[in-house]
Structure formats: structure tokens, C-alpha cells
């Protein structure tokens, strides 16, 4: 049996076997067999449902300097903004009326939002929307902070590991940022009972097949409930401005592999995928993804949450985004649902 067949049968491979598999990603037969197995699994667990998450990008201030990121602190040309608690609650109100039952609060690591301020925002959302899931995506914090946010009412946490290779991690981040700390955060979040999302960029500068193999080994070990992957896209104000973007095809191949590895995972068809290809998100759903994350941020701030060049959906109102995605999801035979969409355990 070849490695693709072995993955489909065992839902796991060794590092060397992943390398073997990934070296063949351009083989249309291999890609097709993985895609079919992935779609079969997603239908077995989720039918034709696609869950939707309302993304609220509430600050683009960040104390970190990740080399690939358009809102890193070193970008002096970024126009900074923060949303007040009232503005965040307004986004939730609009979102709730549109059928969103998960709110994702995402931002840079912004010291303005102290633990107490953050907890107060979470409590306000929890009080107003007891039936909704609250997802945080605000970077690396202490165990105590994560615990406080959980007690305030947060349910889920997205923290991409970015790459499971120390070597590549150091090429993408300044020396003060450590992969070991990021991984520790993910384990802390799991132990506190959060539904956890890890993930990585595909085609980040310097990424080799071996690095991707390490990502897959790490995902199997961590067993996250959610996995966010998307192509790396250069931003003109970073040192990677002239690097090539990641491949859409390889991202789709990896989505299928991850669906097989973690059959019940919640896998978004990301905005980065939609930025690289006008049908990127539809293709993501056809490769095994089962989540979309339309933007609920105020239109006046959307362009400022500028992680990479040419980011899509920066001009539309929340309702337009929702309608657009509903049509896109339906065009590939799936159904956008108004449910919390918790992980199946
Ligand atoms: N600060 C939080 C954190 O560190 O998890 C959340 C915000 S961060 C901007 C969200 C994700 O954006 C990162 O995990 C990274 O994978 C992605 N991202 C940043 N720059 C990118 C780029 N140039 N291309 C594609 N994705 C990028
Ligand atoms: Fe902090 Fe990108 S460097 S969000």
C-alpha cells in the first residue's frame, strides 16, 4: 500500500512517511484519493453543514514583531485602532441578528487590554448572549490569564503554532519569541478545558517539506479541536515583501490530509485562501473544510487589520459578507447553519 492509502487507513503516518506523501502533492491521483477520503469523513461527521464564526478584529496594536505580519509593532506605517467594549458589543448584536452563534475576538497582543479589561468584555458578551460560543485569539498569555478568561465565559481559543519546527520558527520570529512557549500555551489552554485551535501558514519563507511533516506530527500529538491553515501572503511593509506567496493547491492538499488525520476537526476555509484564489474558500470546503469565518468588524476599521496584501472582504457590511458566503457555500453543495458548532468529542 502507498503512503496515501496508509494514511486513509490508519489516520496517521510517521514523519518520514509524511515527507514521502508531501513530496507527491502534485500527483493528481494522490490528491484526488485524499480529497475523496477527506470529504467522506467530513460528511460522515458533519453531513452538509458548514459552521460560521463571526470574526471581530478588535485591535491591530501588537507588542510582537513576527516578521511576516503586517500589523507587527515594527511596522510604523500601520494605522492603529482599538474597539471599545461598546463597539465590540455592537458587532455581536449585528452578528447575532444575522444568525452567528460564535464570536471570535481576534487581535494583536495589545497591552491596553489588560486581563481585567479583557475579562470584563468577555463577561459582557457572555451575559448578553448566553447561547453563543466565545472564541479568543489574542496570542500568548499566562496560565492564570487563560484561566481568568475561561471563568469569565470564553469557550474556545485559536493560537496557531505557526510552525512546529524550531529552526523555521526562529527564521519567522525575533529571538524573544519561542516555539516552546507557544506550544506550552496550547497545552495550558487544553488543560483548562478550552476547545483549542492550532495551525500554520503554508509556504512561509524558508518552509521545507520536512517542516510541514513536523506540523502534521505535532497536530496528531496535540489533538486540537480546530486547525486553521492558510497560504502565507507577503505584506509590502515586512522583510518578506518580495517572497512568493504559499500555494493554494498545497494548502488544499494539506486540508485533506488534516481532515484524515483528525476526522472530527473543525477546519476553516480561510480568508487567506480566498485572497489567493477567487474560489479559494469553495475549494477549501471541497477539500474537507467545514467552517467559514466572515468578518463582523466595523467596516471603518477593516482595512486597518492589514495582515497581508490584498486581503479580501474589507469593504462589505457584515450582512453582505454573510449573504455572499451563504451563496458560496451553497454553490458547492453545502449549507451554512446558524449553530454554535462545538467540536464533536
Ligand atoms: N495575535 C494573535 C496570535 O498571535 O495568535 C492573533 C492574530 S494573528 C494576526 C492571526 C494569524 O494571522 C497568525 O496566527 C498568522 O498565522 C496569520 N498571519 C499573519 N501574517 C500573515 C501573512 N503574511 N500571511 C498569512 N497569514 C498571516
Ligand atoms: Fe502580533 Fe501579527 S505580530 S498580530
Amino acid at each position: 500500500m502507498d503512503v496515501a492509502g496508509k494514511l486513509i487507513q490508519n489516520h496517521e503516518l510517521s514523519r518520514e512517511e509524511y515527507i514521502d506523501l508531501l513530496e507527491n502533492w502534485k500527483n493528481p491521483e494522490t490528491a484526488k484519493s485524499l480529497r475523496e477520503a477527506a470529504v467522506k469523513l467530513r460528511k460522515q461527521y458533519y453531513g452538509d453543514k458548514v459552521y460560521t464564526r463571526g470574526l471581530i478584529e478588535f485591535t491591530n496594536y501588537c507588542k510582537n514583531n513576527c516578521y511576516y505580519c503586517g500589523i507587527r509593532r515594527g511596522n510604523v506605517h500601520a494605522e492603529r485602532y482599538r474597539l471599545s467594549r461598546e463597539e465590540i458589543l455592537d458587532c455581536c448584536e449585528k452578528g447575532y441578528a444575522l444568525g452567528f452563534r460564535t464570536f471570535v475576538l481576534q487581535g494583536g497582543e495589545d497591552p491596553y487590554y489588560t486581563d481585567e479589561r479583557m475579562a470584563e468584555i468577555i463577561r459582557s458578551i457572555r451575559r448578553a448572549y448566553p447561547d453563543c460560543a466565545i472564541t479568543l485569539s489574542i496570542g500568548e498569555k499566562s496560565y492564570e490569564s487563560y484561566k481568568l478568561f475561561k471563568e469569565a465565559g470564553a469557550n474556545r481559543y485559536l493560537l496557531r503554532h505557526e510552525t512546529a519546527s524550531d529552526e523555521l520558527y526562529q527564521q519567522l520570529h525575533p529571538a524573544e519569541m519561542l516555539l516552546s512557549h507557544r506550544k506550552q500555551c496550547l497545552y495550558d489552554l487544553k488543560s483548562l478545558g478550552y476547545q483549542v485551535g492550532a495551525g500554520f501558514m503554508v509556504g512561509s519563507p524558508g518552509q521545507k517539506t520536512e517542516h510541514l511533516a513536523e506540523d502534521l506530527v505535532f497536530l496528531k500529538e496535540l489533538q486540537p479541536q480546530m486547525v486553521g491553515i492558510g497560504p502565507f501572503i507577503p505584506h509590502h511593509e515586512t522583510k518578506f515583501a518580495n517572497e512568493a506567496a504559499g500555494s493554494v493547491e498545497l494548502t488544499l492538499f494539506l486540508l485533506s490530509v488534516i481532515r484524515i488525520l483528525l476526522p472530527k476537526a473543525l477546519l476553516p476555509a480561510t480568508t487567506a485562501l480566498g485572497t489567493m484564489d477567487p474560489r479559494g474558500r469553495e475549494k477549501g470546503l471541497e477539500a474537507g473544510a467545514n467552517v467559514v469565518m466572515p468578518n463582523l468588524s466595523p467596516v471603518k476599521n477593516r482595512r486597518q487589520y492589514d495582515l497581508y496584501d490584498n486581503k479580501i472582504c474589507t469593504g462589505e457590511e457584515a450582512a453582505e459578507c454573510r449573504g455572499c458566503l451563504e451563496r458560496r457555500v451553497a454553490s458547492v453543495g453545502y449549507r451554512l447553519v446558524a449553530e454554535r458548532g462545538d467540536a464533536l468529542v
Side-chain angles (χ1 to χ4, degrees):
M1 194 192 309
D2 66 357
V3 277
K6 190 167 174 194
L7 175 70
I8 293 167
Q9 193 164 76
N10 298 347
H11 303 281
E12 181 165 25
L13 292 175
S14 69
R15 179 182 180 277
E16 280 59 42
E17 288 167 331
Y18 284 127
I19 293 176
D20 198 2
L21 181 77
L22 291 166
E23 277 171 352
N24 267 309
W25 73 268
K26 290 187 179 157
N27 178 334
E29 291 305 310
T30 309
K32 184 165 178 276
S33 70
L34 292 176
R35 192 169 53 244
E36 285 172 2
V39 167
K40 194 166 162 217
L41 286 167
R42 81 83 79 206
K43 289 199 169 153
Q44 178 182 335
Y45 290 109
Y46 294 101
D48 63 353
K49 285 184 185 179
V50 172
Y51 297 121
T52 177
R53 321 301 196 193
L55 184 62
I56 305 171
E57 299 157 334
F58 70 100
T59 173
N60 72 349
Y61 283 84
C62 190
K63 68 178 173 61
N64 291 336
N65 214 15
C66 306
Y67 296 146
Y68 44 83
C69 181
I71 63 168
R72 72 192 207 291
R73 71 159 192 266
N75 182 6
V76 293
H77 295 118
E79 255 179 69
R80 305 287 171 175
Y81 75 95
R82 314 189 153 99
L83 301 188
S84 65
R85 183 174 64 159
E86 289 64 37
E87 286 175 301
I88 295 173
L89 284 166
D90 275 354
C91 295
C92 296
E93 192 182 332
K94 275 205 191 84
Y96 193 87
L98 289 167
F100 289 98
R101 294 298 175 266
T102 294
F103 302 120
V104 182
L105 297 184
Q106 191 183 85
E109 290 192 24
D110 179 356
Y112 168 84
Y113 296 92
T114 57
D115 284 359
E116 205 26 67
R117 267 197 186 124
M118 208 56 231
E120 206 26 65
I121 292 170
I122 298 165
R123 280 185 213 112
S124 313
I125 302 176
R126 176 51 62 234
R127 269 195 300 272
Y129 304 99
D131 57 329
C132 291
I134 301 174
T135 305
L136 302 178
S137 178
I138 52 175
E140 297 173 38
K141 306 272 173 187
S142 69
Y143 181 90
E144 287 67 36
S145 308
Y146 288 149
K147 186 161 181 279
L148 179 72
F149 302 154
K150 185 85 182 23
E151 285 162 2
N155 314 94
R156 309 182 187 145
Y157 207 103
L158 306 179
L159 185 75
R160 290 182 174 186
H161 61 282
E162 311 297 0
T163 168
S165 148
D166 274 308
E167 177 196 47
L168 182 59
Y169 197 88
Q170 282 166 23
Q171 291 171 34
L172 299 175
H173 302 95
E176 73 263 17
M177 294 186 72
L178 293 176
L179 175 60
S180 54
H181 187 253
R182 208 154 174 97
K183 285 185 173 172
Q184 186 55 50
C185 287
L186 284 162
Y187 284 108
D188 286 349
L189 289 160
K190 276 206 97 178
S191 74
L192 282 162
Y194 281 93
Q195 294 172 40
V196 168
F200 55 92
M201 288 180 293
V202 179
S204 51
Q207 187 179 63
K208 301 190 185 100
T209 306
E210 299 86 82
H211 300 137
L212 288 171
E214 282 165 41
D215 286 320
L216 298 173
V217 170
F218 174 66
L219 286 177
K220 191 71 183 179
E221 176 194 306
L222 178 70
Q223 296 276 323
Q225 286 85 4
M226 306 170 280
V227 183
I229 68 165
F232 157 76
I233 305 175
H235 184 284
H236 61 283
E237 293 280 359
T238 65
K239 73 172 191 181
F240 296 138
N242 297 320
E243 297 286 338
S247 151
V248 169
E249 286 305 315
L250 178 56
T251 307
L252 297 172
F253 184 91
L254 282 160
L255 273 173
S256 299
V257 170
I258 295 169
R259 167 64 60 210
I260 298 167
L261 207 65
L262 301 167
K264 296 180 186 171
L266 293 154
L267 299 181
T270 54
T271 306
L273 203 48
T275 297
M276 289 298 298
D277 179 327
R279 287 194 68 251
R281 285 166 298 178
E282 290 88 323
K283 290 179 183 175
L285 296 173
E286 289 175 322
N290 61 340
V291 172
V292 288
M293 296 177 69
N295 207 319
L296 274 185
S297 315
V299 176
K300 69 176 173 41
N301 301 115
R302 292 230 189 139
R303 258 179 255 283
Q304 293 164 292
Y305 200 78
D306 183 26
L307 307 183
Y308 45 77
D309 290 342
N310 306 315
K311 189 167 169 242
I312 54 167
C313 306
T314 54
E316 292 83 4
E317 285 294 342
E320 293 173 72
C321 277
R322 166 113 193 162
C324 163
L325 272 171
E326 207 160 317
R327 288 190 294 278
R328 286 174 184 274
V329 167
S331 78
V332 283
Y334 292 103
R335 187 166 53 93
L336 202 63
V337 295
E339 294 175 24
R340 268 174 66 122
D342 282 297
L344 301 172
V345 268

